[in-house]
């Protein structure tokens, strides 16, 4: 593995937050509770993992419309979207593959089983019903099983406010590119009962996804019609609660091909998600136990009829379903000898996946019709040793019908150093990605058969980092600096065999890097943040750089609040040159080998004005510099846009 100067400087980068504030006072930040990282509600400072939390306030003040927009500036991530709103969007976490990130909705996996590689499309989700987004980077299979090699993203839906019989909230906006957006919801709590109903929609004519550099660009735009609805109803009394959740989301969109525009290529992507959950406390709340049953059903159809530009036709249909049954437990162990604040989480999870898929042209038709079951036992333990050392451990065994299963683990520690207002964290663990049903049982015509004997893709990863509060600008935490070094090795990666007649576990990859962050609070009205992720990801067999993993990604943002009514939130995202193995020249000819997409910079700005305590108006500007950067070769980032709107809560 070749190391650049940034990696050689990694030890200094990690030590820097500790060297600066040798005269600092103890940290005084209000603890934030994280659930996704351990399954036990835990203060963020005690979690031995790199985490990012985006709250409802962040989503609104920064003007995030979709999940892909919200995650674009999260450290350690590279977002690649093939076009504008609603288009296919992939995330590469810490140099791992896009299929190596697991997405949860209220703790339940929602990756589409019918996607050939099991990857999640981040371009689909609207955020009107989302309260917070928890991002945990690093291996998460010891908690959540298959797919969590690069990290876990948990979408937490909005909940009814306590003690309020009726709260009505909404959002209405419109602007350039024929864009209109709206959301309307009601929620409340009364005598132990609670409810939430939210509807949201987005329509836009979109922008041209084909780069102007291409000779055959027709300047055709790709539209999106997206809708979603969420309903929750529940009851809580004492330490017992019962609730049901139903969520629907459907997108109708126009698509584009590379290297040619296509005037009648369209898609429909729909998901139904439902769950029933019950939880109760035993032995005065020492033991909390709960049952959850959930169903996710995905249906995707892509249609393209012959036209003047192409005689080819497409009629692809994918159906995927996942049924989840989970028994989860949390036990507060309290003090155990030299340990304090000890907690144990354990449970059993059973999943059933099924796929019916039919895609591709005649003679090259791809079909999958299969199902599989898996059952997992998992346990996690955490405690504090002495006054400042937190320890955690997780273990999970996944057993499956059609592959050998996998045992994953993770160990972590956090050391508080209040004398220098710092903390050190380190962790290591394994993770895996089960072969998808397509990889095991899919067929392409008469010449390709999936391999039912595939093993799971697996990884070993470790990280070490430091975070420090700096006594600047007249306050003990005037700035916060952090640095985390990560290293991941992935084995048994699935790829085609030499004859392209099936698939085998034949690839290896490695990635390492540094996540650097600085938050400054020089004035009461200003919070500024800067993040820089340096990643080197390579194919261990060929030593070639892995596609769509840029070495440098830099993000900067701020919250400027000159009065208690005004909030201004600028964001800048710079992505360095990115290797790609699917590239096209200006004439639309395919370029073989590894080529580099040029770097790009995108500037966004959102400004909000609180008219009354219940009503806020805002302006959202996207790509204000009108960058023509290509996140994926052949697909340009959406052009400049402006949206004006208002939101309310009564």
């Amino acid at each position: 593995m070749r190391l650049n100067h940034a990696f050689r400087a990694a030890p200094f980068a990690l030590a820097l937050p500790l060297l600066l504030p040798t005269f600092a006072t103890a940290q005084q930040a209000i603890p934030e509770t994280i659930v996704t990282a351990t399954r036990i509600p835990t203060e963020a400072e005690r979690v031995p993992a790199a985490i990012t939390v985006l709250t409802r306030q962040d989503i609104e003040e920064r003007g995030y419309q979709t999940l892909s927009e919200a995650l674009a500036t999260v450290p350690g991530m590279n977002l690649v979207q093939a076009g504008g709103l609603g288009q296919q969007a992939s995330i590469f976490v810490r140099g791992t593959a896009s299929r190596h990130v697991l997405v949860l909705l209220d703790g339940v996996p929602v990756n589409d089983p019918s996607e050939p590689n099991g990857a999640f499309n981040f371009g689909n989700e609207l955020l009107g019903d989302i309260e917070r987004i928890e991002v945990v980077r690093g291996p998460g299979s010891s908690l959540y099983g298959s797919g969590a090699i690069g990290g876990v993203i948990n979408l937490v839906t909005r909940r009814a406010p306590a003690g309020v019989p009726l709260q009505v909230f909404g959002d209405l906006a419109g602007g350039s590119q024929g864009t209109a957006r709206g959301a309307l919801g009601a929620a409340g709590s009364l005598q132990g009962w609670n409810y939430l109903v939210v509807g949201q929609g987005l329509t836009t004519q979109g922008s041209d996804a084909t780069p102007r550099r291409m000779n055959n660009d027709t300047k055709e735009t790709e539209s999106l019609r997206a809708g979603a609805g969420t309903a929750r109803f529940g009851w809580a009394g004492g330490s017992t609660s019962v609730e049901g959740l139903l969520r629907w989301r459907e997108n109708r969109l126009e698509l584009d091909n590379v290297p040619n525009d296509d005037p009648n290529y369209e898609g429909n992507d729909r998901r139904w998600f439902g769950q029933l959950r019950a939880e109760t406390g035993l032995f005065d709340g020492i033991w909390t136990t709960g049952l959850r049953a959930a169903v996710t059903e995905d249906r995707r159809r892509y249609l393209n009829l012959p036209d003047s530009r192409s005689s080819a036709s497409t009629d692809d249909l994918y159906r995927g379903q996942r049924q989840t049954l989970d028994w989860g437990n949390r036990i507060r162990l309290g003090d155990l000898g030299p340990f304090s604040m000890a907690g144990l989480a354990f449970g059993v999870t059973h999943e059933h996946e099924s796929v019916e898929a039919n895609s591709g042209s005649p003679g090259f038709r791809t079909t999958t019709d299969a199902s599989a079951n898996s059952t997992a036992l998992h346990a996690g333990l955490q405690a504090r040793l002495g006054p400042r050392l937190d320890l955690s451990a997780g273990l999970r065994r996944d057993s499956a019908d059609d592959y050998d299963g996998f045992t994953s683990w993770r160990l972590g520690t956090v050391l508080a150093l209040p004398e220098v207002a710092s903390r050190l964290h380190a962790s290591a663990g394994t993770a895996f990605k089960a072969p998808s049903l397509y990889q095991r049982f899919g067929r392409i015509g008469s010449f390709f058969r999936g391999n039912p004997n595939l093993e799971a893709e697996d990884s070993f990863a470790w990280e070490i980092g430091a975070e420090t509060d700096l006594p600047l600008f007249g306050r003990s935490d005037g700035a916060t600096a952090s640095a985390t070094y990560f290293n991941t090795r992935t084995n048994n990666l699935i790829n085609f065999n030499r004859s392209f007649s099936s698939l085998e576990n034949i690839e290896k990859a490695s990635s390492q890097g540094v996540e650097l962050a600085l938050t400054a609070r020089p004035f009461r009205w200003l919070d500024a943040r800067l993040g820089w992720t340096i990643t080197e990801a390579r194919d261990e067999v060929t030593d070639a750089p892995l596609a769509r993993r840029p070495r440098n990604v830099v993000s900067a943002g701020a919250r400027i609040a000159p009065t208690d009514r005004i909030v201004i939130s600028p964001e800048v995202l710079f992505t360095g040159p990115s290797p790609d193995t699917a590239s096209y020249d200006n004439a639309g000819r395919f370029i073989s080998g590894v080529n580099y997409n040029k770097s790009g910079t995108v500037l966004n700005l959102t400004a909000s004005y609180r008219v009354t305590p219940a009503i806020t108006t805002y302006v959202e500007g996207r790509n204000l510099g009108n960058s023509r950067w290509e996140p994926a070769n052949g697909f340009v980032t959406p052009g400049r846009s402006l949206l004006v709107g208002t939101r309310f809560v009564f």
Side-chain angles (χ1 to χ4, degrees):
M1 172 66 70
R2 296 195 296 267
L3 303 178
N4 61 22
H5 293 296
F7 295 153
R8 296 191 183 102
F12 173 75
L14 294 173
L16 181 59
L18 300 179
L19 296 176
L20 291 174
T22 54
F23 49 87
T25 58
Q27 291 174 292
Q28 298 176 352
I30 297 175
E32 181 177 28
T33 299
I34 307 297
V35 177
T36 308
T38 62
R39 285 187 182 257
I40 301 173
T42 305
E43 294 176 5
E45 292 186 353
R46 297 183 59 202
V47 176
I51 55 177
T52 298
V53 178
L54 299 173
T55 65
R56 185 71 216 165
Q57 181 178 340
D58 295 329
I59 292 171
E60 293 178 347
E61 291 184 349
R62 301 176 192 178
Y64 298 145
Q65 297 186 88
T66 65
L67 181 59
S68 58
E69 288 183 349
L71 296 176
T73 60
V74 171
M77 293 187 171
N78 181 47
L79 175 75
V80 178
Q81 187 151 5
L85 290 174
Q87 304 297 312
Q88 175 70 39
S90 303
I91 281 183
F92 300 83
V93 182
R94 290 183 168 180
T96 61
S98 59
R99 63 183 181 272
H100 291 162
V101 56
L102 181 64
V103 179
L104 312 174
L105 181 64
D106 287 339
V108 178
V110 290
N111 289 48
D112 182 2
S114 70
E115 207 285 329
N117 292 313
F120 188 86
N121 182 0
F122 291 88
N124 277 327
E125 305 298 328
L126 303 178
L127 300 176
D129 62 339
I130 301 300
E131 181 64 31
R132 58 194 272 128
I133 304 169
E134 294 186 359
V135 181
V136 181
R137 299 183 291 283
S141 289
S142 64
L143 291 173
Y144 298 105
S146 173
I149 289 179
V152 177
I153 299 170
N154 189 18
L155 310 179
V156 182
T157 55
R158 297 172 78 154
R159 309 194 74 83
V164 179
L166 174 63
Q167 181 185 82
V168 179
F169 55 91
D171 191 319
L172 184 64
S176 59
Q177 300 176 0
T179 301
R181 185 182 73 203
L184 182 63
S189 303
L190 184 64
Q191 296 180 350
W193 297 95
N194 62 83
Y195 66 93
L196 171 80
V197 180
V198 184
Q200 54 186 318
L202 171 67
T203 178
T204 180
Q205 292 301 315
S207 59
D208 181 18
T210 303
R212 298 287 171 83
R213 66 177 177 84
M214 288 192 165
N215 302 334
N216 52 11
D217 177 28
T218 65
K219 299 182 175 60
E220 178 206 17
T221 61
E222 283 71 54
S223 66
L224 169 68
R225 306 290 182 269
T230 302
R232 172 187 279 112
F233 189 71
W235 174 85
S239 61
T240 300
S241 63
V242 181
E243 71 171 24
L245 174 71
L246 184 64
R247 188 176 193 261
W248 159 83
R249 184 265 301 150
E250 185 166 357
N251 293 353
R252 298 179 181 271
L253 61 157
E254 294 179 339
L255 300 167
D256 226 343
N257 269 330
V258 176
N260 298 308
D261 280 340
D262 199 312
N264 59 357
Y265 191 12
E266 60 186 29
N268 178 272
D269 192 318
R270 183 178 67 206
R271 167 177 292 144
W272 284 97
F273 172 85
Q275 73 160 321
L276 293 172
R277 184 182 67 86
E279 187 175 88
T280 190
L282 306 173
F283 310 113
D284 294 327
I286 294 176
W287 184 347
T288 301
T289 185
L291 286 173
R292 184 201 308 263
V295 176
T296 304
E297 185 174 283
D298 289 276
R299 179 191 179 278
R300 296 178 291 123
R301 187 183 185 191
Y302 305 104
L303 183 65
N304 186 15
L305 300 177
D307 55 64
S308 58
R309 298 180 63 85
S310 172
S311 60
S313 65
T314 297
D315 189 355
D316 300 341
L317 180 63
Y318 301 85
R319 294 179 182 271
Q321 188 180 91
R322 175 184 283 108
Q323 301 170 7
T324 303
L325 183 61
D326 180 78
W327 176 51
N329 301 268
R330 301 188 306 273
I331 299 178
R332 291 189 292 109
L333 300 176
D335 297 337
L336 297 173
F339 298 98
S340 62
M341 293 185 287
L344 171 67
F346 66 93
V348 181
T349 302
H350 177 78
E351 288 190 352
H352 173 80
E353 293 183 347
S354 61
V355 172
E356 294 181 19
N358 202 321
S359 63
S361 58
F364 204 77
R365 202 68 177 163
T366 301
T367 59
T368 308
D369 186 356
S371 62
N373 296 294
S374 64
T375 302
L377 303 175
H378 55 84
L381 182 65
Q382 65 184 50
R384 171 166 288 182
L385 178 61
R388 59 178 67 190
L389 182 64
D390 285 289
L391 304 171
S392 66
L395 182 67
R396 176 173 172 132
R397 173 60 188 176
D398 283 81
S399 300
D401 288 347
D402 301 301
Y403 66 96
D404 290 339
F406 194 83
T407 300
S408 51
W409 58 269
R410 183 166 184 170
L411 299 173
T413 183
V414 179
L415 176 63
L417 300 174
E419 296 84 0
V420 289
S422 303
R423 73 175 193 127
L424 302 176
H425 64 90
S427 65
T430 60
F432 77 104
K433 169 68 174 67
S436 69
L437 288 173
Y438 160 76
Q439 290 170 336
R440 282 178 271 172
F441 306 110
R443 296 187 175 192
I444 304 177
S446 60
F447 60 86
F448 174 90
R449 297 289 184 274
N451 183 356
N453 297 316
L454 287 171
E455 300 176 13
E457 299 176 325
D458 65 271
S459 72
F460 171 75
W462 62 277
E463 65 181 72
I464 183 170
E467 181 180 83
T468 294
D469 283 345
L470 310 178
L472 300 173
F473 315 117
R475 51 187 291 182
S476 62
D477 62 346
T480 301
S482 67
T484 299
Y485 171 81
F486 59 87
N487 188 298
T488 303
R489 292 186 176 274
T490 313
N491 302 301
N492 289 322
L493 291 173
I494 298 170
N495 207 338
F496 289 98
N497 59 12
R498 290 187 177 183
S499 62
F500 293 93
S501 62
S502 190
L503 297 164
E504 295 181 0
N505 297 98
I506 55 177
E507 299 290 333
K508 296 181 179 181
S510 64
S511 62
Q512 59 177 328
V514 181
E515 296 168 359
L516 304 171
L518 177 66
T519 300
R521 310 169 186 89
F523 308 104
R524 177 192 59 80
W525 48 267
L526 173 61
D527 279 15
R529 63 188 186 278
L530 177 67
W532 178 17
T533 301
I534 307 166
T535 306
E536 183 170 331
R538 308 193 74 82
D539 185 316
E540 288 286 272
V541 177
T542 64
D543 198 38
L546 294 179
R548 300 184 175 180
R549 279 79 150 183
R551 186 183 299 270
N552 294 288
V553 176
V554 180
S555 63
R559 184 182 189 273
I560 306 169
T563 73
D564 61 356
R565 291 176 176 263
I566 297 174
V567 176
I568 302 171
S569 299
E571 279 191 339
V572 180
L573 177 65
F574 167 81
T575 304
S578 177
D580 211 328
T581 53
S583 302
Y584 299 86
D585 64 14
N586 294 348
R589 294 185 295 260
F590 181 79
I591 306 173
S592 61
V594 177
N595 298 276
Y596 279 81
N597 300 328
K598 294 181 179 179
S599 60
T601 303
V602 175
L603 169 63
N604 302 322
L605 178 66
T606 300
S608 305
Y609 176 71
R610 183 165 54 84
V611 181
T612 71
I615 300 174
T616 299
T617 60
Y618 58 84
V619 178
E620 298 173 4
R622 288 289 175 268
N623 191 14
L624 295 178
N626 205 32
S627 170
R628 305 299 296 175
W629 170 57
E630 297 176 38
N633 191 278
F635 292 98
V636 72
T637 194
R640 183 189 296 115
S641 65
L642 188 69
L643 210 63
V644 179
T646 183
R647 58 178 173 266
F648 58 87
V649 180
F650 295 109

